[in-house]
């Protein structure tokens, strides 16, 4: 135990003094500060402009009357169409209400001149109407998120229905009241809210992905470096190989956990300092409002998932005689983890976190840290399934740890070509 503690302190000190480790941690903390303080800073820069637009009485009267500074949207009648001036004004008013971020103007010029205005950026887009139910939408660069045509269709449907009602003898006020009748509805989830839990589930899975691949690779690299430099031969004369491997793994686990706490802890602190400037943003608020029960499960699956892969990386690193062999040696472990990661991400994206594949992965120790946690966060999972998954994972961590220690004890003394799996297992069995 004394050897394990000594190696743990030495390896951990190496991480904390590593310039890359410290630099990455400081950079991520600074990045969290920039993100969390951005609404405060941008609000301070934009405050004067906002007040000048809103007017002294704070009622936004100038903004309602003056649309300068907004992108221009043109509405026009085509040469083949026969829309009356009254119809064009009705379209302008309806589009002004629907497109609040545009300065909607009636344009009486020909279509070629309208296109020229868009190309010269005098206007951002234009709707040219053949009738109240037919139009052509002109825009310079069509964005992937352009919803203008969809919104225009809804506006025109409303106008068409209103005109049809008026033709049937219904007064305009009555038609407007019928069309604008509000629809109210409430949604009450009896289980988990997938939308609310999606973001911190995604963050946990992605953090686990990054930490396992980064620190697991570092464990394997450190072992291979000591072995290739022959320093391993001196180390094993004063410390047991098992203590060396466990010390390295626990140190890397603690370093990774420290880095995550530093980054996400600082993000939480900075968010609390600027919560009022975020204006009740539901996405940001949901990330920092993770339930205590879910946080506990996150820590359990995170630590156990990291340990099982770190033991594997340490054992595989001991079989590599040269640093150049590390990438080839750890490839099967990396691919195993990546497959599990993509299964979870695909299921999360589709919203089907309780599909058969996810249920199977919830009990496979190499995928359960991600799969079971995702199901707990985004679905209703019986407690006995959670308990079984954790018990299997704990047993697997202990089993893989013991096996990895034996492989490490044999592998650190093997040089030359990396041994085959069968040869390694026979050597471990004899040892």
């Amino acid at each position: 135990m004394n050897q394990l503690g000594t190696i743990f302190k030495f390896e951990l000190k190496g991480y904390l003094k590593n310039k890359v480790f410290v630099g990455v941690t400081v950079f991520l903390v600074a990045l969290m500060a920039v993100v969390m303080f951005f609404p405060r800073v941008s609000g301070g820069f934009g405050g004067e402009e906002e007040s000048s637009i809103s007017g002294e009485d704070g009622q936004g009267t100038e903004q309602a009357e003056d649309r300068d500074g907004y992108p221009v949207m043109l509405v026009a009648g085509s040469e083949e169409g026969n829309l009356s001036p009254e119809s064009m004004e009705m379209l302008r008013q309806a589009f002004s209400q629907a497109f609040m971020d545009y300065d909607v103007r009636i344009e009486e010029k020909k279509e070629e001149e309208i296109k020229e205005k868009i190309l010269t950026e005098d206007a951002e887009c234009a709707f040219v109407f053949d009738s109240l139910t037919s139009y052509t939408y002109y825009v310079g660069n069509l964005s992937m998120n352009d919803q203008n045509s969809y919104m225009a269709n809804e506006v025109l449907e409303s106008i068409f229905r209103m005109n049809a009602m008026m033709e049937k003898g219904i007064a305009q006020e009555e038609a407007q009241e019928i069309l604008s009748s509000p629809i109210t509805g409430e949604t009450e989830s009896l289980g988990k809210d997938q939308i609310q839990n999606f973001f911190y589930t995604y963050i946990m899975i992605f953090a686990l992905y990054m930490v396992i691949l980064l620190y697991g690779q570092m464990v394997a690299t450190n072992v291979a470096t000591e072995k290739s430099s022959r320093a391993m031969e001196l180390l094993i004369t004063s410390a047991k190989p098992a203590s060396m491997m466990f010390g390295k793994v626990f140190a890397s686990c603690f370093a990774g956990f420290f880095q995550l706490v530093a980054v996400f802890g600082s993000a939480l602190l900075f968010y609390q300092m600027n919560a009022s400037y975020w204006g009740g943003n539901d996405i940001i608020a949901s990330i920092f409002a993770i339930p205590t029960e879910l946080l506990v499960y996150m820590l359990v699956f995170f630590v156990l998932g990291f340990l099982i892969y770190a033991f594997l990386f340490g054992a595989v690193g001991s079989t590599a005689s040269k640093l150049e062999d590390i990438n080839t040696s750890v490839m099967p472990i990396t691919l195993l983890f990546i497959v599990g990661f993509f299964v979870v991400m695909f299921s999360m994206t589709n919203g089907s976190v309780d599909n058969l594949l996810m249920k199977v992965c919830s009990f496979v120790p190499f995928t359960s840290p991600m799969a079971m946690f995702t199901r707990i966060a985004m679905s209703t999972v019986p407690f006995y399934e959670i308990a079984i998954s954790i018990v299997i994972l704990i047993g697997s961590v202990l089993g893989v740890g013991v096996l990895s220690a034996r492989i490490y004890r044999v592998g650190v003394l093997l040089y030359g070509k990396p041994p085959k799996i069968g040869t390694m297992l026979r050597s471990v069995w004899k040892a």
Side-chain angles (χ1 to χ4, degrees), residues 42-311:
S42 62
F45 289 152
E48 184 176 349
E49 182 180 348
E50 256 182 50
S51 61
S52 64
I53 293 176
S54 298
E56 294 180 0
D57 57 356
Q59 300 299 318
T61 53
E62 288 186 31
Q63 182 178 355
E65 296 175 0
D66 187 1
R67 305 292 289 177
D68 288 345
Y70 286 82
V72 175
M73 175 186 288
L74 304 177
V75 292
S78 66
E79 297 178 21
E80 294 79 9
N82 55 355
L83 292 178
S84 64
E86 291 78 11
S87 297
M88 293 302 305
E89 178 60 25
M90 180 174 60
L91 285 171
R92 188 196 69 79
Q93 293 180 4
F95 273 55
S96 295
Q97 294 177 0
F99 297 95
M100 298 296 294
D101 294 332
Y102 284 92
D103 180 7
V104 182
R105 303 176 184 176
I106 295 177
E107 182 60 61
E108 298 180 354
K109 295 183 178 180
K110 296 181 179 180
E111 291 186 38
E112 292 302 322
E113 296 178 83
I114 292 175
K115 294 179 185 179
E116 186 63 27
K117 278 195 170 186
I118 295 175
L119 292 175
T120 57
E121 298 184 353
D122 292 331
E124 183 173 296
C125 57
F127 287 90
V128 179
F129 293 90
D130 297 320
S131 65
L132 291 178
T133 57
S134 176
Y135 66 85
T136 302
Y137 175 55
Y138 294 104
V139 63
N141 296 310
L142 184 61
S143 169
M144 292 176 60
N145 300 319
D146 194 321
Q147 299 292 321
N148 289 348
S149 294
Y150 175 78
M151 294 178 63
N153 290 343
E154 290 190 339
V155 172
L156 294 176
E157 284 181 5
S158 178
I159 294 175
F160 177 79
R161 291 169 183 169
M162 181 180 293
N163 286 344
M165 291 181 183
M166 293 172 63
E167 289 177 1
K168 297 295 183 180
I170 301 176
Q172 181 177 356
E173 293 76 10
E174 295 177 347
Q176 183 67 36
E177 183 178 354
I178 294 172
L179 292 175
S180 61
S181 296
I183 305 299
T184 60
E186 296 182 359
T187 301
E188 181 177 348
S189 176
L190 301 179
K192 300 291 181 64
D193 186 347
Q194 290 193 357
I195 297 176
Q196 180 181 356
N197 295 358
F198 176 85
F199 297 102
Y200 47 71
T201 305
Y202 180 85
I203 290 173
M204 185 272 180
I205 299 302
F206 191 74
L208 183 61
Y209 175 84
M210 295 298 296
V211 169
I212 284 179
L213 292 187
L214 174 62
Y215 286 94
Q217 187 85 10
M218 289 176 69
V219 170
T221 302
N222 289 341
V223 173
T225 301
E226 292 175 354
K227 184 177 177 181
S228 62
S229 64
R230 299 285 179 170
M232 184 69 69
E233 297 178 2
L234 298 176
L235 292 173
I236 61 175
T237 61
S238 56
K240 295 179 180 180
S243 298
M244 293 173 58
M245 191 197 72
F246 284 118
K248 291 178 181 296
V249 169
F250 291 150
S252 65
C253 180
F254 190 88
F257 188 73
F258 170 80
Q259 191 173 58
L260 289 179
V261 170
V263 174
F264 290 109
S266 62
L268 177 60
L269 175 62
F270 297 145
Y271 173 73
Q272 295 294 338
M273 295 171 61
N274 300 279
S276 59
Y277 290 89
W278 281 95
N281 187 294
D282 293 335
I283 296 177
I284 299 297
S286 68
I287 294 175
F288 295 105
I290 180 171
T292 305
E293 178 187 8
L294 202 57
L295 180 61
V296 172
Y297 282 129
M298 177 188 293
L299 295 177
V300 169
F301 283 107
F302 185 90
V303 172
L304 293 177
F306 178 87
L307 288 177
I308 195 170
Y309 275 97
F311 285 141

Side-chain angles (χ1 to χ4, degrees), residues 342-420:
F342 277 107
V343 168
V344 172
M345 295 306 299
F346 181 77
S347 300
M348 285 180 61
T349 305
N350 288 347
S352 58
V353 295
D354 278 328
N355 58 62
L356 179 60
L357 186 56
M358 280 289 285
K359 289 182 178 180
V360 172
C361 290
S362 298
F363 300 101
V364 177
F366 301 107
T367 55
S368 61
M370 296 180 292
M372 181 54 83
F373 176 78
T374 301
R375 290 184 60 207
I376 293 173
M378 302 182 65
S379 180
T380 302
V381 184
F383 179 75
Y384 74 88
E385 291 190 14
I386 301 175
I388 292 173
S389 178
I390 293 177
V391 169
I392 293 175
L393 187 55
I394 292 175
S396 300
V397 169
L398 296 176
V400 170
V402 172
L403 178 62
S404 298
R406 292 188 174 185
I407 294 176
Y408 187 93
R409 182 173 59 184
V410 175
V412 292
L413 298 177
L414 293 178
Y415 290 90
K417 186 178 180 181
K420 296 181 180 179

